[in-house]
Amino acid sequence: IMYFFFFSSRRRHTRYISVTGVQTCALPISSSRKLSDPISVIVVSQSSAGKSYLIDTIKKLIPPEEVVSMTSLSDQALNYLDDDALLHKFLVMGEAVHSEAVEHQVREMLSAHELSRLVTMKDPKTGELRSRMVRKEVIVSAVMSTTNNNINPENASRSFVVNTDES
C-alpha cells in the first residue's frame, strides 16, 4: 500500500510521503533531478534498516557524473563548488547530522534553487578589501538519511519524509 500527500514547496506547503516499499518511489525521486523543481527526500528509520543500502543502490543506477555524494562537509563548502557542480544533480548528503549552517544552505538550495554568499576578498592590485557576491544556481534532487524521527520542520517541509519498511 502506498499513499502520497504532496504540495509543491514553491507554494510553501509541506511535502510528505509515507510508503510501504520505499524502493518504488526512490528512482523517480532521483530522476527528478532533471526537472526545474526536483523532488528531495529524507529517509528515516532505525539503524541497520537499509537506508544506506537503498541510497547506494539508487546511486548505482545514475551516471556517476550526475551524482554529488558526500559523508560530511564544512559549513561553506557548497558555496565554493564549481558553478555547474549542482545543476541537475542527485545530491547525496549521507546521515542528516549537519551543522545549522549546512542545513540552512540545503533549505535555500531546495527552495530558492540558489546559493549566495557575500564574502570579503583582497583586491590583488590595490590590496584593498572588497565585498564580492558568490552566487550559484542549484537544481538538485537531494537525499539524506537519519535515525532521528524529530526532523527539523523547516527541512521536512522541503522534502518527502520516507520511512523504510523495517519488517
Side-chain angles (χ1 to χ4, degrees):
I1 297 171
M2 180 184 304
Y3 64 91
F4 297 85
F5 178 69
F6 174 81
F7 289 101
S8 172
S9 66
R10 308 298 269 170
R11 293 185 189 92
R12 296 180 188 222
H13 294 282
T14 304
R15 301 191 235 196
Y16 284 98
I17 185 172
S18 181
V19 177
T20 301
V22 68
Q23 300 84 348
T24 306
C25 69
L27 188 57
I29 287 172
S30 65
S31 298
S32 75
R33 71 189 181 282
K34 297 295 189 179
L35 302 174
S36 62
D37 191 12
I39 300 168
S40 293
V41 66
I42 301 171
V43 183
V44 182
S45 70
Q46 297 174 350
S47 294
S48 302
K51 299 178 301 293
S52 296
Y53 178 77
L54 170 67
I55 293 167
D56 289 343
T57 300
I58 297 303
K59 279 177 18 182
K60 291 176 186 173
L61 298 172
I62 300 171
E65 64 274 8
E66 295 188 17
V67 176
V68 177
S69 183
M70 63 204 71
T71 56
S72 67
L73 65 156
S74 66
D75 284 354
Q76 300 306 321
L78 294 169
N79 286 299
Y80 297 101
L81 287 171
D82 292 338
D83 286 342
D84 63 348
L86 296 173
L87 286 177
H88 301 286
K89 304 294 183 185
F90 184 54
L91 178 65
V92 180
M93 297 187 67
E95 196 69 25
V97 184
H98 305 289
S99 70
E100 183 55 38
V102 170
E103 286 196 3
H104 174 74
Q105 290 173 15
V106 170
R107 289 192 296 268
E108 287 300 310
M109 289 173 15
L110 299 180
S111 295
H113 300 294
E114 177 181 86
L115 282 176
S116 60
R117 180 169 178 79
L118 190 62
V119 296
T120 305
M121 301 182 80
K122 191 177 220 179
D123 185 305
K125 294 179 184 173
T126 66
E128 292 181 22
L129 296 177
R130 304 257 186 215
S131 292
R132 177 178 159 239
M133 181 65 71
V134 177
R135 189 176 307 274
K136 176 181 314 316
E137 182 180 14
V138 178
I139 302 174
V140 296
S141 174
V143 63
M144 289 183 280
S145 62
T146 186
T147 57
N148 185 353
N149 287 318
N150 297 320
I151 299 168
N152 180 328
E154 290 187 55
N155 297 344
S157 70
R158 291 162 173 85
S159 301
F160 284 112
V161 178
V162 177
N163 296 294
T164 58
D165 181 2
E166 299 173 21
S167 58

